[in-house]
Amino acid sequence: RILNEPTAAALAYGLDHDEKGTVAVYDLGGGTFDCSILALEDGVYRVLSTSGDPHLGGDDMDTWLMDRWRAEHADAELDARGLQALRFAAEAARCALGEGEEAEVELDGQSVIVSRADFDAGIAPLLERTADMCRRAVKDAGIEAADLDEVVLVGGATRTPAVRTLVAEAFGREPLSDMDPDRVVALGAAVQAGILSGAFAEMVLVDVTPLTLGYETMGGVVSQIITRNSPVPCQASEEVTTYAEGQTGVDFHIVQGEREMAADCRTLGRLHLTGIPPMAAGMARVKVTFSLDSDGLLSVGAVEERSGVEADVRL
């Protein structure tokens, strides 16, 4: 079974605390962010909603520190190796700021001292983006922040004090700090392995898909087939037709995301249905089906129902 990281963290939380209730999982890793709301009751773990950004994480905090150094040393020319060394130095400084009030970014004998106050101010816009997604996840779950029983932190970037302060303000409660944010996902994955092997026979996991799935239609608009936060496994179909006389094929551009236009979403793949008998425009009956399994793996199939011609792809 493949697990989303926030879901795994909630499994670890439930095993460690043996509680019922509603839990928010704030997962800020090196390059991605996710917030999930889960309900735990009588051994059933049900994901109510999830929201996130696949391009937001601790690396962006390091980039702020790198930009600070380069602004103060505008005459410095760094090659690829120098940039990598600067990134390592920035990451070390970020970790140091988790413990002390100031840290130093140093490279080739040139250094910049950064205070925690300056660092917190610099990363504030990044953290506010995570707060917006937390509010969205709570709203999508149909609850209020006050209804949450606990908030679980996941990912090394959550060790940053400003992150913990923001989480406490966003959810109106202090997050749990007794679980190692670097290990909680691995522990949850082990719990899931226990479920699959029968060691936790009374535990059930019901997950959701984090992003909407669909395909591009005329004009570049996305036709949404499986919407965000749909429980998995799930399946949905839609019927389309041809728009040109004698058209013998249909290409499906499969995308993931919440934006209206396909160009603003992420491309997952393409499905080519060929061999449709030539007929008048609008006469073909093509049924396209999206199937999402419990691992979050997507299969897309299309069949022209008059002729039986079909094609499928697994993404």
Side-chain angles (χ1 to χ4, degrees):
R1 175 96 185 251
I2 296 174
L3 285 181
N4 292 317
E5 289 189 4
T7 307
L11 281 172
Y13 162 82
L15 177 70
D16 192 53
H17 292 73
D18 192 27
E19 293 194 13
K20 301 178 181 179
T22 306
V23 179
V25 180
Y26 182 99
D27 181 357
L28 185 63
T32 62
F33 171 73
D34 293 286
C35 178
S36 295
I37 310 297
L38 297 95
L40 286 61
E41 184 174 1
D42 296 329
V44 177
Y45 293 71
R46 185 162 54 94
V47 181
L48 303 179
S49 68
T50 186
S51 181
D53 187 333
H55 304 289
L56 175 63
D59 292 347
D60 296 283
M61 301 180 194
D62 299 342
T63 298
W64 182 86
L65 287 167
M66 292 172 66
D67 291 343
R68 173 72 174 269
W69 187 93
R70 300 186 76 177
E72 295 197 12
H73 300 284
D75 58 338
E77 294 185 5
L78 299 177
D79 57 13
R81 180 173 295 181
L83 285 172
Q84 186 64 32
L86 179 57
R87 181 168 294 280
F88 285 145
E91 182 181 4
R94 168 167 60 89
C95 294
L97 285 169
E99 302 292 336
E101 292 301 319
E102 65 177 31
E104 185 175 15
V105 180
E106 184 173 348
L107 189 69
D108 292 336
Q110 303 181 78
S111 64
V112 173
I113 303 242
V114 182
S115 69
R116 182 186 288 180
D118 286 344
F119 179 67
D120 290 351
I123 66 172
L126 299 174
L127 301 188
E128 185 54 36
R129 285 167 58 189
T130 71
D132 289 341
M133 285 174 272
C134 290
R135 288 188 281 267
R136 180 179 185 180
V138 170
K139 181 179 179 182
D140 288 347
I143 64 173
E144 301 290 337
D147 298 328
L148 292 169
D149 295 290
E150 295 290 355
V151 179
V152 179
L153 297 178
V154 179
T158 62
R159 297 184 186 278
T160 302
V163 172
R164 300 196 172 206
T165 298
L166 176 130
V167 171
E169 293 174 351
F171 292 107
R173 64 172 54 249
E174 290 294 326
L176 284 176
S177 58
D178 59 337
M179 301 188 71
D180 185 342
D182 289 316
R183 297 183 178 183
V184 64
V185 168
L187 178 58
V191 172
Q192 178 61 22
I195 294 172
L196 295 176
S197 68
F200 304 111
E202 301 303 318
M203 299 171 69
V204 179
L205 174 63
V206 181
D207 210 339
V208 300
T209 179
L211 294 168
T212 296
L213 303 168
Y215 64 92
E216 181 179 359
T217 62
M218 291 294 292
V221 177
V222 176
S223 177
Q224 298 184 343
I225 304 299
I226 296 178
T227 57
R228 181 172 60 92
N229 290 326
S230 296
V232 294
C234 61
Q235 179 175 296
S237 300
E238 185 171 276
E239 190 170 286
V240 300
T241 188
T242 53
Y243 63 89
E245 295 291 326
Q247 183 175 337
T248 59
V250 179
D251 290 337
F252 294 94
H253 175 204
I254 303 161
V255 298
Q256 178 188 58
E258 311 308 314
R259 306 295 288 276
E260 181 179 346
M261 305 302 293
D264 298 322
C265 296
R266 173 173 292 185
T267 296
L268 296 182
R270 295 180 182 272
L271 173 65
H272 308 286
L273 178 64
T274 60
I276 299 175
M279 59 186 77
M283 291 298 294
R285 295 173 54 192
V286 178
K287 183 179 181 180
V288 57
T289 301
F290 281 54
S291 299
L292 201 61
D293 67 15
S294 58
D295 289 325
L297 300 179
L298 175 66
S299 298
V300 180
V303 57
E304 201 289 306
E305 296 185 323
R306 294 181 184 275
S307 62
V309 174
E310 60 183 341
D312 60 78
V313 63
R314 187 173 176 84
L315 303 169

